[in-house]
Amino acid sequence: MAGRLTPEREAELYEAVLGLLREVGYDGLTMDAVATRTRSSKATLYRQWGSKPVLVARALRHNKPVKLDQIDTGSLRGDFRTAMALGDDCKMEEDAALMRGLMHAIHDDPDLHKAVRELLFEPELNGLDRIMQRAVDRGEVSADLPALKYVTHMLAGAFVGRQFIEDKAPDQAFLTDYVDAVVFPALGV
Amino acid sequence: MAGRLTPEREAELYEAVLGLLREVGYDGLTMDAVATRTRSSKATLYRQWGSKPVLVARALRHNKPVKLDQIDTGSLRGDFRTAMALGDDCKMEEDAALMRGLMHAIHDDPDLHKAVRELLFEPELNGLDRIMQRAVDRGEVSADLPALKYVTHMLAGAFVGRQFIEDKAPDQAFLTDYVDAVVFPALGV
């Protein structure tokens, strides 16, 4: 979709969007402000991304410290370890803060909800599915293990519990401990 | 706090609050409307509950299908089974819908956030802590098991994952399967 931009220029645009998100929030962010800050035209922005929700969702995806669909180390433990090693604490905290700030807007705006679901969450869920499918194919996890269908629930609990029960941002040490204490034992690995 | 009301009258007031919550939402709910519907005075409502956030949080607590702090069967499996048996699907779905409707208001209103945390979540978290502490005291779970500190995270993941990944309300069959597939294996019971 953003095919006519160089990767550097695309990254620059996403960084500008994230900067505006931090400064004025989703509701306050306008395509005019993005155009001004990036010295591009609104026509270009709409041609490349189609809408503000899509542009914001793609900027957030660009900023994700970990992209699960790009991980394939050859073992389940390796894939999880790599996912956690990629997410440095500073980027994870920043990403969590951006997502917290966006929750309100997601609740109010079905187009943003759809863009975030399709462009941000589904690639991660699909990436996790592929990680687990490869573990099954390698015989590391039994295909009929009941916990297999709950890996996303367990991981969602790590993030939600950390934020809303402990009131802290998820970090590498916490996620590593959680995966060792909960996810691997439930999967029997 | 509501000492001068009979339990029947207190329940009647809570039901009226929940009815209004469903009809007009938290923002639209006024103490005037509660007073009118329950044929009581606003002075009585404020004397008994002090504020709208506290009244709403207590009404939601009254409506909770399961109160973990009231469960003690003598075994960890028994406590979890009882918690799930108490939560009939209809009440759980209704409770989940009320909480979804309230999330927005909780985000915007620190007093409501505090009331929900103190009157609704903390009694459940404390109840769960006591269930787990008794399991440790009976020797069912080792006191230094790493998963012990993540029981709330695992359960939070069940609810959040069910709602936001599967887009369904948690029900008995799902929760029973999740506890058997994830929580018990992680706890080694």
Side-chain angles (χ1 to χ4, degrees):
Chain A
M1 182 180 282
R4 271 166 299 182
L5 298 180
T6 63
E8 292 73 21
R9 178 64 176 147
E10 203 183 333
E12 197 176 285
L13 278 154
Y14 291 147
E15 293 297 338
V17 171
L18 297 170
L20 282 165
L21 261 189
R22 285 182 210 104
E23 289 163 36
V24 299
Y26 182 80
D27 291 335
L29 183 149
T30 64
M31 294 297 254
D32 276 315
V34 176
T36 302
R37 186 167 292 194
T38 58
R39 296 176 312 282
S40 51
S41 72
K42 260 179 29 170
T44 303
L45 297 179
Y46 279 108
R47 195 168 56 239
Q48 296 288 332
W49 286 281
S51 73
K52 171 177 150 181
V54 170
L55 174 58
V56 168
R58 288 208 181 272
L60 288 164
R61 170 85 177 149
H62 166 78
N63 196 51
K64 278 276 169 214
V66 181
K67 297 183 179 74
L68 291 178
D69 56 357
Q70 296 171 4
I71 294 173
D72 183 5
T73 65
S75 80
L76 182 62
R77 282 187 175 270
D79 286 355
F80 271 96
R81 293 262 174 267
T82 300
M84 289 182 291
L86 287 174
D88 76 82
D89 291 351
C90 190
K91 280 208 99 173
M92 278 200 286
E93 173 141 17
E94 191 206 27
D95 182 55
L98 279 168
M99 291 308 297
R100 274 198 307 278
L102 210 65
M103 275 175 60
H104 215 166
I106 289 173
H107 188 279
D108 285 339
D109 182 337
D111 290 335
L112 178 63
H113 193 164
K114 182 170 179 287
V116 164
R117 179 183 281 261
E118 291 179 1
L119 301 174
L120 212 55
F121 292 158
E122 283 179 7
E124 293 308 296
L125 293 175
N126 293 340
L128 187 60
D129 279 348
R130 282 199 291 275
I131 286 173
M132 296 313 304
Q133 186 57 53
R134 290 195 307 266
V136 169
D137 294 344
R138 285 187 300 255
E140 293 176 272
V141 176
S142 164
D144 56 8
L145 188 82
L148 199 54
K149 60 185 175 298
Y150 296 130
V151 177
T152 48
H153 299 69
M154 288 186 251
L155 293 175
F159 284 90
V160 169
R162 183 70 168 177
Q163 294 250 320
F164 296 99
I165 303 170
E166 298 185 55
D167 205 15
K168 293 178 190 166
D171 57 36
Q172 283 187 343
F174 163 77
L175 288 173
T176 302
D177 193 56
Y178 184 85
V179 167
D180 284 339
V182 170
V183 182
F184 288 157
L187 292 173
V189 297
Chain B
M1 185 181 281
R4 271 165 299 178
L5 299 178
T6 64
E8 293 72 23
R9 179 64 177 148
E10 204 183 332
E12 198 176 285
L13 279 154
Y14 291 147
E15 293 298 336
V17 170
L18 297 169
L20 282 166
L21 259 189
R22 286 181 207 104
E23 290 164 34
V24 299
Y26 182 81
D27 291 335
L29 183 148
T30 64
M31 293 298 255
D32 277 314
V34 176
T36 301
R37 185 165 293 195
T38 58
R39 296 175 311 282
S40 51
S41 72
K42 262 182 23 173
T44 302
L45 298 179
Y46 279 108
R47 194 169 56 240
Q48 294 289 331
W49 286 281
S51 73
K52 171 177 152 181
V54 169
L55 174 58
V56 168
R58 288 210 182 271
L60 288 164
R61 170 82 176 153
H62 166 78
N63 197 51
K64 278 277 168 213
V66 182
K67 296 184 180 72
L68 292 179
D69 55 357
Q70 295 170 5
I71 294 174
D72 183 4
T73 65
S75 81
L76 183 62
R77 282 186 175 270
D79 286 355
F80 271 97
R81 294 262 172 267
T82 300
M84 288 181 292
L86 287 174
D88 76 82
D89 291 352
C90 192
K91 281 209 96 173
M92 277 199 288
E93 174 140 18
E94 191 205 28
D95 182 56
L98 279 169
M99 291 308 298
R100 275 198 307 277
L102 210 65
M103 275 175 58
H104 214 166
I106 289 172
H107 188 279
D108 284 340
D109 182 337
D111 290 335
L112 178 63
H113 193 163
K114 180 170 180 287
V116 165
R117 177 183 283 261
E118 290 180 2
L119 301 173
L120 212 56
F121 293 157
E122 282 180 7
E124 293 307 297
L125 294 175
N126 293 339
L128 187 61
D129 278 348
R130 282 199 292 274
I131 286 173
M132 296 313 303
Q133 185 56 53
R134 290 195 306 265
V136 169
D137 294 343
R138 284 187 300 257
E140 293 177 273
V141 176
S142 164
D144 55 8
L145 188 83
L148 200 54
K149 59 185 174 299
Y150 297 129
V151 176
T152 49
H153 300 68
M154 288 187 249
L155 293 175
F159 285 89
V160 169
R162 183 73 168 175
Q163 295 249 319
F164 296 98
I165 303 170
E166 299 185 54
D167 205 14
K168 293 179 191 162
D171 57 36
Q172 283 187 343
F174 163 77
L175 288 173
T176 302
D177 192 56
Y178 183 85
V179 167
D180 283 340
V182 170
V183 181
F184 288 157
L187 291 173
V189 296

